[in-house]
Amino acid sequence: MSFTRRKKTLALTAGAAIFALTLAGCASGDEPEEDTTTATENTADAGDGETSSEPVSLTIATFNTPGLSNSETDAEYQYDLIEEYEALNDHVDITYNRAAESGDARENFFTKLGPGGLADIEMVEVDWMPEVMQYADLLTDLSSPDVEGRWVDYVEAGATDSEGRLIGYGTDTGPQGVCYRADLFEEAGLPTDPAEVADLLEGDWDNFFAVGDDYVDATGSAFYDSAAGVWQGMVNQLDVAYEDPDSGELMVLDNPDVKALYDQVTAASETQSSKFGQWSEDWFAGLSNGAYATMLCPPWMLGVIEGNAPDTTDWNLANVYPNGGGNWGGSWLTVPASGANIEEATKLAAWLTAPEQQAKAFANAGTYPSQVEAYDDPAVTGEVNEFFNDAPIGEIFAERAEAVVPSPFKGEFYFQVNDAINNALTRVEEGTDDPATSWEKAVADIEAIG
């Protein structure tokens, strides 16, 4: 089964980068059959659809475009989950508020978490969830037998505190594969079939960069899109990166793994990177003009590529990721403990994150489910992407989700440190500094943080 997607202008975030992008749909085909399941069939005690309950007003705050409501975009989704829940529970009235950017939502969340004033349900993004976990006692424990085992392990673990309290219901996730231009691979004498490309790139980052050397030698052109994009993929595989997960203190400058990755990516980028800043005009143009042959791809990146290179016919997706697995994206729904409607808010959060609803959000906006059962749903596993030469993206990302390794701890200094290192990479790419000098400036910036 495949879905008809509509092109829409969205605001997306990736780590510290906040950007507005055009997300195009992934597949076309028959319209899905009308869904007739009730809220109670989808999630235990998620709402009885009857009018006997006392009226209740709920607020939900999200960011970017999680695929929950038509109000997120100027083009209609296939499913409006907010309207659907209200129809199933006519005693519930929902006010849906969406920040354009994750950074705005983060600032609002931490400003109001203690004093109060948050929505009944607050969405939290993967890069600031570890910081949120330090204040888990201010959020509702959402643990329930009804949701045990619903999510892939790393999503559930990411929202579980030291006392075993589950303070967030996972929404989407961002398992990554490798997007590549088959025509450019052919010019370089490399395999072009997705399975063969996956075999070619299987292995660690050394192997990825070795293939990059072969590509550059054959073509004289860039192998990947940017040092910053590759850096994000590399550092997210570390168990510990910038901060001590126990104390929250900065330890990045004493972490040899971070410096080793920096040296590795800057050395490779000298010849293999396009040297375009990620999300720059040149970077976007490179999606269609062949300036680079590969990029690391979470599910939402497919829409970015299609939306900005609609006439390009040779993009494809390989079921592989350097050094095993990686995640770029994902969120949770939390219920502040100070809320006036905790029980009803919990029911709504549970329903919105049930596998059935996440399959619908995937159809709406390409947000890939984090729910285990969704990976057996034909609406997800059967999804193919016509633009990516009919890549079976449902199957590929299900396998990529199983390969994902946990993200490193990201505390209150994460964004500042990551910005310092990304700025260092940018200086190197632009030729302003050599790698050693640029690292010294990053060290000074990081020391100023602490």
Side-chain angles (χ1 to χ4, degrees):
M1 181 178 185
S2 61
F3 292 112
T4 299
R5 303 283 181 79
R6 299 171 176 85
K7 292 183 179 179
K8 26 191 148 346
T9 300
L10 307 179
L12 299 171
T13 186
I18 307 296
F19 52 95
L21 302 170
T22 300
L23 178 62
C26 294
S28 61
D30 298 332
E31 291 291 341
E33 296 179 1
E34 181 179 355
D35 186 277
T36 59
T37 55
T38 67
T40 41
E41 288 173 328
N42 281 339
T43 302
D45 198 32
D48 55 19
E50 299 179 358
T51 59
S52 59
S53 300
E54 290 292 324
V56 61
S57 295
L58 297 175
T59 55
I60 177 170
T62 70
F63 46 84
N64 301 334
T65 313
L68 303 184
S69 171
N70 284 327
S71 63
E72 295 173 8
T73 176
D74 58 3
E76 288 189 2
Y77 287 149
Q78 294 180 58
Y79 307 100
D80 190 308
L81 299 182
I82 302 300
E83 290 183 358
E84 184 177 345
Y85 190 84
E86 289 178 323
L88 293 169
N89 302 271
D90 58 8
H91 67 292
V92 177
D93 180 69
I94 301 171
T95 299
Y96 182 57
N97 298 315
R98 183 180 65 88
E101 300 176 350
S102 171
D104 295 335
R106 177 177 178 266
E107 181 178 359
N108 178 74
F109 184 90
F110 285 110
T111 298
K112 298 179 179 178
L113 180 59
L118 289 173
D120 294 298
I121 297 174
E122 289 276 345
M123 178 174 277
V124 170
E125 199 252 353
V126 63
D127 280 342
W128 37 287
M129 185 57 156
E131 187 178 0
V132 170
M133 294 301 294
Q134 299 178 63
Y135 308 97
D137 58 326
L138 298 178
L139 299 165
T140 301
D141 181 4
L142 303 178
S143 302
S144 167
D146 295 329
V147 298
E148 286 183 4
R150 173 180 282 184
W151 296 277
V152 290
D153 290 345
Y154 64 91
V155 170
E156 186 166 347
T160 302
D161 68 12
S162 59
E163 298 178 2
R165 301 169 67 254
L166 181 67
I167 60 93
Y169 286 162
T171 58
D172 62 313
T173 188
Q176 292 185 267
V178 176
C179 292
Y180 68 98
R181 283 279 298 267
D183 56 334
L184 301 181
F185 268 45
E186 183 176 17
E187 291 177 13
L190 299 176
T192 59
D193 177 77
E196 294 178 347
V197 173
D199 288 340
L200 176 72
L201 297 177
E202 184 68 36
D204 56 16
W205 289 103
D206 284 337
N207 179 65
F208 180 78
F209 293 132
V211 174
D213 283 336
D214 292 340
Y215 178 85
V216 173
D217 288 345
T219 66
S221 298
F223 180 57
Y224 55 80
D225 61 325
S226 74
V230 173
W231 171 260
Q232 191 76 33
M234 297 174 82
V235 77
N236 273 348
Q237 291 180 327
L238 295 179
D239 290 328
V240 178
Y242 302 155
E243 298 143 305
D244 187 313
D246 295 323
S247 67
E249 295 180 356
L250 280 174
M251 46 79 68
V252 56
L253 299 181
D254 297 318
N255 187 350
D257 291 337
V258 171
K259 182 57 163 58
L261 292 182
Y262 173 86
D263 290 341
Q264 188 177 23
V265 73
T266 51
S269 293
E270 183 175 352
T271 57
Q272 295 185 29
S273 171
S274 73
K275 298 183 172 61
F276 298 148
Q278 206 170 30
W279 324 123
S280 67
E281 290 185 7
D282 287 337
W283 182 90
F284 279 115
L287 295 172
S288 59
N289 65 21
Y292 46 85
T294 67
M295 60 192 305
L296 306 180
C297 275
W300 52 263
M301 187 66 83
L302 306 186
V304 174
I305 295 173
E306 180 179 357
N308 290 278
D311 299 323
T312 306
T313 61
D314 292 289
W315 278 105
N316 214 318
L317 175 68
N319 185 2
V320 68
Y321 194 75
N323 210 37
N327 185 76
W328 190 6
S331 301
W332 290 263
L333 298 183
T334 68
V335 177
S338 59
N341 303 293
I342 290 176
E343 182 178 355
E344 290 285 356
T346 300
K347 291 177 182 179
L348 174 57
W351 187 84
L352 287 172
T353 58
E356 297 87 350
Q357 276 59 258
Q358 285 309 295
K360 296 173 186 177
F362 177 53
N364 283 343
T367 50
Y368 197 74
S370 60
Q371 292 74 9
V372 176
E373 288 185 18
Y375 301 155
D376 294 324
D377 187 334
V380 175
T381 60
E383 181 75 339
V384 298
N385 190 304
E386 182 179 359
F387 178 83
F388 280 79
N389 288 279
D390 293 328
I393 63 171
E395 295 178 4
I396 289 174
F397 285 122
E399 292 186 23
R400 291 293 90 214
E402 293 177 359
V404 164
V405 295
S407 295
F409 174 76
K410 298 173 182 178
E412 63 177 308
F413 303 114
Y414 167 76
F415 291 102
Q416 293 167 279
V417 175
N418 210 50
D419 284 348
I421 295 177
N422 275 313
N423 289 339
L425 293 172
T426 298
R427 290 190 294 267
V428 174
E429 296 253 86
E430 292 177 346
T432 305
D433 291 322
D434 61 66
T437 301
S438 196
W439 178 256
E440 289 176 359
K441 291 180 179 179
V443 169
D445 291 341
I446 293 168
E447 288 176 339
I449 296 170

